[in-house]
Each structure stands twice: as structure tokens, then as C-alpha cells.
Amino acid sequence: MGSVFLPHLKTAWHVDQAILSEDDRVVVIRFGREEETECMILDEILYSISEKIKNFGVVYLVNLDRVPDFNQMYELDQNRREPYTLMFFYRNKHMLVDFGTGNNNKLNFPIYDKQELIDIIETVYRGARKGKGLVMSPKDYSRVAKNI
């Protein structure tokens, strides 16, 4: 149900505009397919925290099949192995996060704890405001990502 209430970016132009137009908050983009269970769960969590993060983050959803323009550029899942990918942008810059998984470009493993996700977004925001392009995740997810 969360995917119904969160804004969807329907074209590559809309994605670009969302990233370009936000000057003071982290743009969180969930790339995925709304019909997949894991994606539905994440969308619910994102919707439930959207009000809490509104001062430092904004969430958008992008369907990989309807907007395939970024699939190759960001190495998004085209073989349906990853149910979703979360990416973070600040002032038109892709923010990297070291989760301990070896992939700093994106978050593509399950996080079911709302506070953990808020903490990650807030960490990205604080690092971005200091001019950092890479931030350390508040928690090491190396074990979580290996179990997928």
C-alpha cells in the first residue's frame, strides 16, 4: 500500500528533475517493481518513515520496467535477482554508502527496521552536508548481504 502514496517518477526526465530540484534534502530513490513482495514491504517502510524524514530526505519510487533508462548506468537488476535498489542523491550528486558489503553504490538487501533506515538516510544527509561523497553506514551489513 505504501507504493500507492509515495510519488512515482514515470520517466527518466522526472528522475533527473527530482535529483536536480532538491537542494537541501537527500533524494532517496527506490528502483524496483511494485508487484514484488520484498519491494512492497520496503515501500510500506518508506511510506511509514517519509513523514519522519521530511526535513532531511524525500522518497521517490521508480519502476525498473517502465523507466529502464538507468538500469545499465546504475547496474540495476534486470534479471530479477534483486527485488529493489535504494539509491541516495544530494544536490545532484550520487551519494555512496559503505555498508560493509563491497558495493557502495546502492542498498539492495532487505532492511525491515524503520529506525535503521532512518539512521542510514540521516547519516547520508549529515555526510552530504559536510561535503562527503562517501559515508559509513551506522551499521555493518556484511553478514546480511551474504545471506541473500
Side-chain angles (χ1 to χ4, degrees):
M1 199 64 182
S3 65
V4 173
F5 298 109
L6 291 169
H8 289 257
L9 302 175
K10 301 201 184 284
T11 66
W13 183 83
H14 289 104
V15 174
D16 287 339
Q17 290 307 303
I19 293 169
L20 285 168
S21 66
E22 193 60 58
D23 285 333
D24 297 322
R25 299 185 291 176
V26 171
V27 176
V28 180
I29 300 181
R30 190 276 293 144
F31 293 95
R33 297 172 182 90
E34 295 82 16
E35 65 273 6
E36 293 189 16
T37 305
E38 291 287 331
C39 204
M40 286 184 215
I41 294 168
L42 179 66
D43 289 353
E44 281 294 318
I45 294 169
L46 289 169
Y47 174 67
S48 71
I49 68 168
S50 62
E51 186 66 24
K52 293 175 182 150
I53 67 165
K54 70 180 180 183
N55 292 327
F56 58 89
V58 60
V59 178
Y60 295 103
L61 308 179
V62 176
N63 186 295
L64 287 175
D65 296 327
R66 293 188 202 113
V67 186
D69 307 64
F70 301 98
N71 293 358
Q72 189 171 4
M73 181 190 322
Y74 292 133
E75 298 176 1
L76 302 174
D77 184 47
Q78 297 169 2
N79 301 322
R80 296 186 179 260
R81 286 174 290 159
E82 298 172 353
Y84 58 79
T85 298
L86 269 184
M87 297 186 77
F88 309 95
F89 300 88
Y90 185 77
R91 293 187 178 163
N92 194 29
K93 182 178 179 185
H94 178 203
M95 294 297 298
L96 305 177
V97 184
D98 185 351
F99 295 106
T101 62
N103 184 353
N104 298 339
N105 294 323
K106 56 192 174 183
L107 187 156
N108 57 358
F109 50 86
I111 292 186
Y112 300 113
D113 187 292
K114 295 173 188 177
Q115 190 57 52
E116 276 185 45
L117 198 50
I118 292 170
D119 292 346
I120 290 169
I121 297 167
E122 187 174 5
T123 299
V124 171
Y125 173 73
R126 289 178 188 272
R129 297 271 301 174
K130 293 178 182 175
K132 296 181 180 180
L134 170 67
V135 297
M136 296 294 294
S137 170
K139 181 178 173 184
D140 182 359
Y141 291 94
S142 56
R143 290 184 140 169
V144 175
K146 287 180 184 177
N147 293 332
I148 297 175

